[in-house]
Amino acid sequence: MPSRPKKMERQVVGGILRRFRNWLPRHGAGPPQDNLGEVVKEPERAQEHCLPNFAGGQHFFEYLLVVSLKKKPSVDDYEPTITYQFPKRENLLRGQQEEEERLLGAIPLFCFPDGNEWAPLTEYPRETFSFVLTNVDGSRKIGYCRRLLPAGRGPRLPRVYCIISCIGCFGLFSKILDEVEKRHQISMAVIYPFMQGLREAAFPAPGKTVTLKSFIPDSGTEFISLTRPLDSHLEHVDFSSLLRCLSFEQILQIFASAVLERRIIFLAEGLSTLSQCIHAAAALLYPFSWAHTYIPVVPESLLATVCCPTPFMVGVQMRFRQEVMESPMEEVGDEKDILPPKLQEDILESLGQGIKGSQTSEQINEHVSGPFVQFFVKTVGHYASYIKREANGQSHFQERAFYKALTSKANRRFVKKFVKTQLFSLFIQEAEKSKNPPAGYFQQKILEYEERKKQKKPKEKTLK
């Protein structure tokens, strides 16, 4: 549901937004205007990745939290509350303690984004979802959540196991949550030694494995292997939900809206579906990073966010559809005309070549992401040639010459608009700081494309 803002009819200055002003859910650290009134310093940004990329060696996680529903006094509503925290940090400096309190104060809302009207249940399908919080200093935390019913008999309320980490690797953390869930059926006491072992282990480099030894009562000692994908640029995403929920044409329209930084709302009931689809949609922008408001699942108390006049990418549960529809927005309807027609055809043709049932999630990710990476290779892959470096070390991007270098008029019209976006501006700012193009996945694809073009050129005939 892409849209562009109309004239604002009301300001979004609710107390709930002020409460979380230091931990706003933005995918990248956006400009001050995205912070709903907060004036912040614009932080450094990673050029190649929307979420942090790690070579290995860091800690897996910062916190394991259990968030439970506690009944409010004198009312029927429940309030999400942290009932377990590992590790407990002690002897923190005052500033560190205040930072921790702000972070832990924001998390319960995103573990139970679907409101406070709960009742004890005897059955509840488990849900795995995630959220991203970006601090005003650019530091980024990812919450990996598993919501389920605790062990026991009779009606009971669901609880959430939430792992807070600065590492984007959804497949690996989903496996960790599987292990946490298996242990929670026995006792909370069994979870502690597993998470302690995980905390002491170093996060593996791409393609490497870390093995943990864990004891489970009545089962004995188990060895758990956690392996990172060899190609780590898509390890933070799974395209399966996006493919299941949307057609190739709809995915292309969402991509078109995103590259022009419009307001995009995803509607679905399941938390897993919403978070996975939005992470996947944002990943299609690689090597660019969405730098605006980014909330995979908007909590009920933050629905006013969809009134924000700046760009956003958010997920809203279907039960709140009416509230969203009452917001001052309009559907644009020109998504099919944003991208160059020939390049649209190339993307759809590549996507339509089919995904075999035997393919791994990494292969599916590459199949879906590849055509969009090639789109950027063909339209802006020549950017490095138009960064002129002065003798004094200063760099300057020659914008006009850059888009005029494109021979296709359709490509040139698109790029002329795209260079005005924050997506492109932030990318170029980072490129100007680097003496050489980064040796990442995108640069590799640029070199491969240039080599294919050379091979296609007809060989000159030598006249004797």
Side-chain angles (χ1 to χ4, degrees):
M1 180 180 166
S3 65
R4 60 187 173 198
K6 284 184 177 180
K7 183 179 180 181
M8 282 296 293
E9 295 181 3
R10 58 184 183 273
Q11 293 182 334
V12 184
V13 199
I16 189 68
L17 291 176
R18 288 195 297 271
R19 177 183 172 191
F20 300 115
R21 64 184 180 274
N22 288 326
W23 279 101
L24 289 176
R26 291 182 290 149
H27 193 251
Q33 70 199 46
D34 294 327
N35 209 0
L36 301 178
E38 288 294 306
V39 178
V40 300
K41 179 182 177 183
E42 189 173 287
E44 298 290 325
R45 293 172 176 83
Q47 178 175 338
E48 283 271 338
H49 293 269
C50 298
L51 292 176
N53 180 41
F54 292 91
Q58 294 81 6
H59 287 300
F60 268 86
F61 70 99
E62 294 186 19
Y63 299 98
L64 168 68
L65 305 171
V66 178
V67 180
S68 305
L69 291 167
K70 297 296 182 182
K71 196 166 187 177
K72 294 180 181 178
S74 305
V75 293
D76 293 332
D77 285 351
Y78 291 88
E79 182 176 20
T81 305
I82 294 175
T83 53
Y84 177 86
Q85 173 188 333
F86 171 78
K88 287 279 190 180
R89 300 184 185 275
E90 298 178 351
N91 303 320
L92 294 176
L93 298 175
R94 181 177 178 180
Q96 293 174 322
Q97 186 173 356
E98 291 175 351
E99 179 73 6
E100 181 184 70
E101 289 174 355
R102 284 194 296 266
L103 173 63
L104 297 183
I107 287 169
L109 181 67
F110 293 93
C111 291
F112 284 92
D114 33 9
N116 301 324
E117 296 181 2
W118 286 89
L121 305 165
T122 55
E123 293 184 1
Y124 182 81
R126 72 176 188 174
E127 291 190 280
T128 304
F129 58 99
S130 58
F131 57 85
V132 180
L133 298 175
T134 303
N135 199 2
V136 292
D137 67 357
S139 60
R140 195 169 294 132
K141 312 288 184 186
I142 307 165
Y144 300 95
C145 301
R146 175 70 55 82
R147 194 159 78 179
L148 41 72
L149 284 183
R153 295 182 177 180
R156 53 208 186 277
L157 292 164
R159 68 168 55 145
V160 173
Y161 287 90
C162 180
I163 299 174
I164 302 297
S165 176
C166 59
I167 297 171
C169 192
F170 292 100
L172 190 146
F173 278 95
S174 180
K175 186 172 182 179
I176 293 172
L177 286 169
D178 289 341
E179 296 297 329
V180 170
E181 180 181 354
K182 182 165 65 175
R183 286 158 177 77
H184 116 281
Q185 301 291 348
I186 304 170
S187 167
M188 284 295 299
V190 185
I191 296 176
Y192 171 81
F194 169 70
M195 295 305 291
Q196 181 63 37
L198 185 66
R199 184 164 176 76
E200 293 171 356
F203 190 68
K208 301 298 182 181
T209 299
V210 63
T211 302
L212 303 176
K213 185 168 70 172
S214 177
F215 177 79
I216 298 181
D218 300 327
S219 298
T221 301
E222 290 188 353
F223 292 91
I224 302 154
S225 296
L226 301 171
T227 304
R228 283 183 73 187
L230 184 61
D231 182 1
S232 62
H233 90 281
L234 286 175
E235 65 182 342
H236 65 284
V237 69
D238 182 350
F239 284 104
S240 300
S241 288
L242 197 68
L243 292 173
R244 188 169 60 251
C245 297
L246 300 173
S247 67
F248 294 149
E249 289 77 10
Q250 289 171 324
I251 293 173
L252 188 60
Q253 289 180 30
I254 289 170
F255 172 75
S257 296
V259 295
L260 291 191
E261 299 178 321
R262 292 179 172 176
R263 300 193 294 173
I264 304 172
I265 301 174
F266 288 78
L267 289 167
E269 188 55 34
L271 302 180
S272 302
T273 300
L274 279 175
S275 64
Q276 288 177 15
C277 284
I278 290 191
H279 287 310
L284 295 178
L285 297 172
Y286 175 86
F288 303 94
S289 298
W290 182 263
H292 304 280
T293 301
Y294 178 86
I295 316 178
V297 183
V298 179
E300 181 183 22
S301 53
L302 288 180
L303 285 175
T305 304
V306 300
C307 300
C308 179
T310 54
F312 59 66
M313 191 182 295
V314 301
V316 175
Q317 286 183 282
M318 197 65 76
R319 68 186 69 180
F320 304 128
R321 178 186 176 96
Q322 191 59 40
E323 289 93 325
V324 172
M325 292 308 192
E326 292 173 358
S327 301
M329 296 186 300
E330 64 176 353
E331 294 189 16
V332 185
D334 66 345
E335 293 81 11
K336 293 182 180 180
D337 301 321
I338 294 173
L339 308 179
K342 176 61 170 65
L343 297 186
Q344 289 192 60
E345 293 174 6
D346 291 345
I347 292 173
L348 291 174
E349 182 180 353
S350 296
L351 292 174
Q353 288 177 356
I355 298 175
K356 298 177 182 178
S358 59
Q359 284 184 314
T360 64
S361 60
E362 289 83 6
Q363 290 172 326
I364 293 173
N365 285 353
E366 180 61 31
H367 177 89
V368 178
S369 172
F372 295 95
V373 174
Q374 287 300 316
F375 172 86
F376 286 125
V377 167
K378 294 172 183 177
T379 53
V380 299
H382 57 300
Y383 73 94
S385 301
Y386 293 88
I387 297 177
K388 299 304 176 185
R389 308 187 187 279
E390 308 294 340
N392 61 3
Q394 297 292 319
S395 298
H396 174 66
F397 178 63
Q398 298 178 311
E399 180 182 300
R400 182 178 174 83
F402 167 71
Y403 63 73
K404 280 190 167 292
L406 294 165
T407 55
S408 165
K409 288 184 179 180
N411 291 6
R412 195 158 59 241
R413 278 195 300 270
F414 165 76
V415 172
K416 195 172 181 179
K417 293 179 181 178
F418 184 57
V419 295
K420 303 299 182 183
T421 65
Q422 192 139 10
L423 286 170
F424 188 80
S425 296
L426 297 178
F427 179 88
I428 287 298
Q429 286 174 23
E430 291 299 321
E432 287 175 334
K433 295 176 186 176
S434 305
K435 292 183 179 179
N436 299 301
Y441 180 83
F442 185 56
Q443 186 62 26
Q444 173 191 333
K445 293 302 176 183
I446 290 173
L447 295 176
E448 291 175 1
Y449 176 69
E450 291 176 347
E451 185 61 30
R452 288 197 302 271
K453 283 203 305 183
K454 288 179 184 178
Q455 293 175 358
K456 285 183 179 180
K457 288 183 178 180
K459 296 181 180 179
E460 294 183 3
K461 293 181 179 181
T462 304
L463 297 177
K464 294 183 179 180

